[in-house]
Amino acid sequence: MTAIPQSGPPPAVVDGLAPALLHTVSTALRDVLDLPHIDRHANFFSLGGNSLLAVRAAGRLSRALGRRISATAVLDHPTAQALADHLAAVPGEAVPGAPASGATAGAPAEADGDGGVRAHRYPLSAAQRRIWLLHDVDPDRLDHLVTVSFEVTGAFDPDVARSAWLRVAGRHEALRTRFEASGDSGAEPFQTVENEALTEWTFLDTTRFPEAVRTRVVEERVHLLHRTPLPLRGGPLSRVALLRTGPSRHRLELVVHHILCDGWSLSILLEDFLDAYRRVAAGEPGPGPSAHRFADHVRWERETESARWPGLADRVARRFTDLPEPLPLPADPVPVDDHSDGDDVALPLPASLGALLARAGAEGGYTRLTLALAALAVLLRRISGADDLVVAVPVAGRVRHEDEGTVGLFVNTALARIRLAGVRDVDTLVALARKEVAEVLDCQTYPFDRLVSRLGAPRDGIRMPLARVSLAVQDFAESPAPDPGLGFTWTEHDPAERQSKLDLAFSLTGGSRGTGEQGLTVTYRPSLFRRPTVRAWAEQYLLALDHVTRAVTRGVR
């Protein structure tokens, strides 16, 4: 893609720092963009950059330079030259060196004499503690199940698949982890990593049943898998079900407890499963354990990152001390059980809108999250009449390079606030959204629970406090596809949510680095809204997103 030059010559970099710093910056950007080379004046967005890749680039730079680099620095200085100039001119906050690969936050792992690793324990992360507490309030909740379904067609071997999954469990400690708490009242829970996989694996051949019976058996089995909570204290915390539905057809179901896994982790598990399947089928050895453990993240969070939290608390709280009343969404209440209070409306993004979003990013430097937040403000103002809007934004929480390939619960929740009073044009609205996105990215490691406590917000254990609406823009890679040489293909089915902790949750999926089918999913509470109403809102949201994106691209060359 043609590089977009800076207007005018770049400012001079501090003598002696220019070559090394520019090389470091270029290397970081090149790595996250997965390119063999980038021109120092090439625009990060025109090369496929987005807010998530900016976070990853910032993590690499922080480690390489030994000081904290924010994602907004990457977004605001979108060429290697401009970013190097900025980093040379602006002193950063020093950060301690990262722990060595393989170090744990608790007792060190020990060899067991058979080449494996003995069990070891360590504390929970801040995100895991939130899940633990919510589970204690409601052990039967279903929104803590991370699920994925595949229709598999071709020569798929159940025995190879099971062996492959065991290799994945050997590689990632999350699939060998259980959770406990001592009998002492108020004692902190801990997690223990075992040497064996803690996954419930089942296989059912339904081809012996008549077709009508087979269809019903598969539907009931899948329904049961998705509606049965995983026992947090007893485990196992993951289950895999494989159902043969025809001579060359299978249904593959994966359910993992959220305390072990987030959406990013799911992509890692699936990619490693396909690699392990290939290796097992070819009689090759596995790749071995992951070089970095989730325990490393927990130790870094406790020993390093938590030192920033008091400052982040003040910064975040200043934006929300005068929190507005809950958003007055027009509800049509009906009685629904809490554990069945969730459903989805899914719409594809028009191809023209996908192209507009790509152009706005590549040529204007607008992230999809910025434009999506601005469009959501338009919709929420239209349907609620409110002009002070608070939106929950899930954030990846993987601010270090070491965390990118680790399976675990990193995701956190941040809050964005858009005040529309006096806003009369799209440019002003988008500027407000851009500022909020910067705050969200810079403060993404501050635990949401701490913000809730700081603001004194009430909790009921079922609904998310502080916000009734959320917005997620999933810029991480979509689920991997099997290599043609494996002999099978699969089609992913995203099961509908059956319990929602938010009234409305908007999620833009696909389009990672300009590829993949893009779509909008709106998860809602059927106890409050009727499906036709939510579908109409989803359609209006896409119109608002189109309008906002067209407005900002009019002035882009």
Side-chain angles (χ1 to χ4, degrees), residues 140-142 145 223-231 239 255:
D140 295 327
R141 62 190 306 140
L142 300 175
L145 300 184
H223 177 80
L224 185 64
L225 285 166
H226 295 172
R227 299 283 296 178
T228 304
L230 288 163
R239 59 172 72 109
V255 182

Side-chain angles (χ1 to χ4, degrees), residues 63 98-104 290-293 296 299 402:
R63 182 176 182 85
S101 294
T104 67
S290 176
H292 187 70
R293 298 173 174 175
D296 300 329
R299 183 172 65 178
E402 301 94 316

Side-chain angles (χ1 to χ4, degrees), residues 126-127 130 300-301 305-320 393 395 397 399 410-415 439-455 466:
R130 172 174 168 77
W300 167 80
E301 180 183 85
E305 187 65 7
S306 61
R308 299 183 65 225
W309 290 351
L312 292 180
D314 292 339
R315 177 176 172 179
V316 173
R318 278 194 298 269
R319 297 164 51 224
F320 297 102
V393 181
V395 285
V399 298
F410 293 85
V411 70
N412 188 27
T413 299
L415 293 183
E439 289 292 323
V440 163
L441 294 179
D442 285 350
C443 302
Q444 66 175 290
T445 65
Y446 182 62
F448 181 67
D449 263 8
R450 288 177 174 252
L451 176 60
V452 174
S453 298
R454 176 72 177 259
L455 299 179
L466 298 178

Side-chain angles (χ1 to χ4, degrees), residues 478-530:
E478 293 84 11
S479 296
D483 186 274
L486 291 180
F488 65 87
T489 60
W490 66 22
T491 303
E492 181 178 355
H493 298 283
D494 188 14
E497 293 288 345
R498 291 306 176 201
Q499 184 177 6
S500 178
K501 55 183 174 287
L502 289 138
D503 294 353
L504 294 170
F506 291 75
S507 178
L508 285 173
T509 57
S512 175
R513 298 187 60 186
T515 62
E517 183 178 346
Q518 301 185 58
L520 168 69
T521 300
V522 182
T523 302
Y524 66 99
R525 293 171 55 194
S527 64
L528 294 178
F529 313 113
R530 304 297 175 89

Side-chain angles (χ1 to χ4, degrees), residues 325-517:
E325 293 297 317
L327 198 62
L329 297 171
D332 185 10
V334 295
V336 174
D337 179 80
D338 280 338
H339 296 120
S340 299
D341 199 7
D343 203 356
D344 292 341
V345 167
L347 297 176
L349 258 66
S352 59
L353 177 54
L356 273 174
L357 288 168
R359 182 185 173 205
E363 300 178 13
Y366 296 99
T367 65
R368 290 204 304 160
L369 181 55
T370 295
L371 299 175
L373 181 59
L376 186 57
V378 172
L379 175 70
L380 295 180
R381 175 66 176 82
R382 181 181 301 160
I383 66 178
S384 72
D387 60 9
D388 192 351
L389 310 169
V390 176
V391 176
V393 181
V395 285
R398 298 173 187 255
V399 298
R400 303 189 307 155
H401 170 48
E402 301 94 316
D403 297 331
E404 292 176 11
T406 304
V407 173
L409 178 61
F410 293 85
V411 70
N412 188 27
T413 299
L415 293 183
R417 186 174 188 178
I418 303 288
R419 305 186 198 215
L420 295 176
V423 175
R424 296 290 181 267
D425 59 84
V426 172
D427 287 343
T428 303
L429 172 61
V430 172
L432 290 174
R434 188 192 287 250
K435 181 179 178 182
E436 285 302 300
V437 167
E439 289 292 323
V440 163
L441 294 179
D442 285 350
C443 302
Q444 66 175 290
T445 65
Y446 182 62
F448 181 67
D449 263 8
R450 288 177 174 252
L451 176 60
V452 174
S453 298
R454 176 72 177 259
L455 299 179
R459 314 172 192 240
D460 66 7
I462 301 296
R463 309 299 172 216
M464 177 179 287
L466 298 178
R468 296 182 63 184
V469 179
S470 71
L471 171 66
V473 175
Q474 298 184 11
D475 279 330
F476 52 82
E478 293 84 11
S479 296
D483 186 274
L486 291 180
F488 65 87
T489 60
W490 66 22
T491 303
E492 181 178 355
H493 298 283
D494 188 14
E497 293 288 345
R498 291 306 176 201
Q499 184 177 6
S500 178
K501 55 183 174 287
L502 289 138
D503 294 353
L504 294 170
F506 291 75
S507 178
L508 285 173
T509 57
S512 175
R513 298 187 60 186
T515 62
E517 183 178 346

Side-chain angles (χ1 to χ4, degrees), residues 137-209:
V137 173
D138 181 13
D140 295 327
R141 62 190 306 140
L142 300 175
D143 60 327
H144 287 165
L145 300 184
V146 180
T147 59
V148 64
S149 302
F150 290 101
E151 293 281 357
V152 186
T153 304
F156 190 69
D157 188 323
D159 292 332
V160 173
R162 187 175 187 278
S163 297
W165 185 257
L166 291 176
R167 288 196 181 186
V168 174
R171 177 166 173 76
H172 297 289
E173 292 186 344
L175 299 177
R176 309 196 310 274
T177 298
R178 56 183 173 84
F179 293 78
E180 303 174 75
S182 67
D184 299 335
S185 177
E188 184 174 357
F190 57 89
Q191 50 194 323
T192 300
V193 178
E194 301 289 359
N195 197 37
E196 300 295 329
L198 298 177
T199 296
E200 174 190 296
W201 177 281
T202 59
F203 171 68
L204 177 63
D205 188 345
T206 68
T207 58
R208 65 181 184 273
F209 302 129

